[in-house]
Amino acid sequence: MVPHVVITWVTTARGGAENSVIELAEHLAHLVPSVDVVWWRHSGPAAEASGPARVHEVTDWCGYQQALARAASRHDGRPVVVISNHRTAAADVALAPDACVIPVVRHVVNLDQALRVIDPYTGELVERSISQMPWDLLSAVPVWVGISQASAAALREHAPHARFVTEIPNGVAIPVQVPARTRPNTGRLLVAAVARTVPWKRLDFLVRAAADPRLSTAVMLDIFGDAGSQQQELQGLVHDLGAPVRFMGYAHNLPQRLAGYDVLATAALQEGFGRCVIDAAGAGIPSIVPNAGASPELVIDGLTGMVYDPHDSGDLVATFTDAMLNRHELTAMGQSARALAEAWYTPGRCAAQYLTLVVGQQPRPRPFAVAR
């Protein structure tokens, strides 16, 4: 029997994960009889959903408990599967004891990394390492999902209590037609970065490369994304180095904005997927990414972009230089990047993989109850 699907999410900022959750819900709703989304707007954006998925937006723990209880109630006798995430997994197991909970981890976790999770007993957003998660509750989870090979491999290594881990890469909606090229004729290599200004995105690494004397008059780096905890520090770094860098703020129409650039560049070492790489591919733009996390899964070096050593700033400078001196090759790389995105990184493929996963689960009532 095809189950009823509930997707849960706690949003703390605008970003690619929020877009991926909504796109999954919209496409999965075309494949299963019913889909509910319980969207806890802890801080960050509202759920911009359309289509047949029902969205229940809440702003506090009490609202989340009530919304999940309603959404996870039996639907015409059909089983219920909750596609959860690392933030809500334990809470979802506790609040929906008759459902099968499948957590999706959107990071490349390590042993010491502090993950922000919902305490299943108090509803507070707290920091826990992967080993400090409430595995007494999470032992009921039959399968975990990583959104890339790197994400799934890190889970297998650092979460030994996770019984089974599978991989389902994200899907990303890209424009049907390649956005019109809007690149200004500046003579510089125009580089875009898409990230909230927080330390783990390592935007300072990109800023320092752009400020290198060998590049500073030949490159322009524009950073798209909400201001985060590192915003002032980065602005100070740009000023001190005289770096050719601009902060552009958050962009809703990302593929259209990226059509004005030669390449996209990223620097994060623990990127669980890297949605902006596929957004750039949708605009026919290749990416320059570090050989770390999930980034090299998304870019075929020399074909759909370039991969550099993330621990060698000179290698990034050299990669920017190669891109600058071989601009005629960037167009072909961008075309190949788009072809790869259209073939594999589609929301439809992603939803179909989740459908296969949830249909294979048989939820069973669990005997424990959560202490109040």
Side-chain angles (χ1 to χ4, degrees), residues 239-297:
H239 179 269
D240 293 343
L241 297 178
V245 176
R246 299 180 295 186
F247 296 91
M248 311 299 288
Y250 187 84
H252 288 279
N253 55 337
L254 195 55
Q256 287 73 21
R257 298 294 296 274
L258 293 178
Y261 293 84
D262 295 306
V263 293
L264 175 89
T266 70
L269 301 181
Q270 292 179 270
E271 196 69 75
F273 181 75
R275 180 187 172 95
C276 62
V277 172
I278 308 303
D279 282 323
I285 303 301
S287 294
I288 295 175
V289 302
N291 189 19
S295 296
E297 298 175 38

Side-chain angles (χ1 to χ4, degrees), residues 26 60 74 76 88 93 119 215 280 302 334:
E26 291 174 344
D60 56 32
R74 294 277 175 166
D76 301 324
T88 61
V93 168
D119 186 293
L215 292 178

Side-chain angles (χ1 to χ4, degrees), residues 42-67:
H42 203 278
S43 58
E48 298 179 358
S50 60
R54 296 181 294 269
V55 177
H56 312 273
E57 187 171 302
V58 301
T59 57
D60 56 32
W61 174 233
C62 182
Y64 185 83
Q65 291 175 294
Q66 294 173 353

Side-chain angles (χ1 to χ4, degrees), residues 232-245:
Q232 290 186 344
E233 179 184 337
L234 286 171
Q235 289 174 330
L237 181 63
V238 168
H239 179 269
D240 293 343
L241 297 178
V245 176

Side-chain angles (χ1 to χ4, degrees), residues 117-134:
V117 302
I118 298 298
D119 186 293
Y121 304 105
T122 67
E124 295 180 0
L125 190 62
V126 297
E127 291 190 349
R128 297 283 187 270
S129 68
I130 193 71
S131 62
Q132 294 171 330
M133 300 275 277

Side-chain angles (χ1 to χ4, degrees), residues 344-358:
W344 181 242
Y345 294 107
T346 68
R349 184 274 310 153
C350 180
Q353 284 190 277
Y354 275 102
L355 172 64
T356 300
L357 184 64
V358 301

